[in-house]
Amino acid sequence: QFVESGGGLVQPGGSLRLSCAASGFNLDNYSIGWFRQPPGKEREGVSCINMYDGSTYYSEAVKGRVTISKDNAKNAVYLQMNSLQPEDTADYYCTAAQTLPISLCMFGAQTIRSWGQGTQVTVSS
């Protein structure tokens, strides 16, 4: 089970830090991914990280503006988002899979069936 938090309303150019807390299982052998679903659009992978070796993947849409990090002791993953733009407005979700970060991010939206409540990010002036 995943619990996402940290979303909110922010002005263009602002920053947010999203948190993903996992419970019920140890994430050490998984990749964790952040996904987002903009209003009226499909869910897409944003950034993913391997909890064992820290390897990461970023989508082109967020590369250079977003940093994913992990805390194995807390079974948690974070997404620091900077220079936010209106097109970043979406519900953000996290999930896990025993695969590479790039695979999770590129295919997870189509293959993973169970999602948490997510956290809403709204970028607007």
Side-chain angles (χ1 to χ4, degrees):
Q1 182 178 358
F2 295 96
V3 177
E4 303 93 343
S5 62
L9 173 64
V10 63
Q11 292 185 342
S15 298
L16 282 174
R17 184 178 189 241
L18 306 184
S19 298
C20 170
S23 62
F25 66 107
N26 191 300
L27 295 178
D28 286 354
N29 296 320
Y30 288 78
S31 287
I32 309 302
W34 280 100
F35 292 75
R36 68 185 183 185
Q37 187 165 16
K41 296 184 178 180
E42 298 290 319
R43 202 187 317 253
E44 61 182 9
V46 175
S47 182
C48 297
I49 186 168
N50 184 273
M51 296 298 283
Y52 177 71
D53 64 11
S55 57
T56 58
Y57 170 85
Y58 294 94
S59 70
E60 288 300 320
V62 302
K63 192 175 292 184
R65 302 188 295 120
V66 165
T67 302
I68 191 169
S69 61
K70 64 183 180 73
D71 187 332
N72 291 67
K74 294 182 178 180
N75 231 25
V77 170
Y78 308 97
L79 192 71
Q80 177 67 44
M81 302 191 297
N82 301 321
S83 301
L84 284 163
Q85 300 301 318
E87 53 265 34
D88 296 313
T89 295
D91 291 324
Y92 284 72
Y93 304 86
C94 62
T95 191
Q98 289 183 303
T99 186
L100 296 173
I102 185 173
S103 298
L104 175 58
C105 265
M106 292 187 70
F107 304 113
Q110 292 78 37
T111 59
I112 292 175
R113 293 291 177 259
S114 179
W115 298 89
Q117 294 297 312
T119 186
Q120 189 174 60
V121 173
T122 303
V123 185
S124 175
S125 56

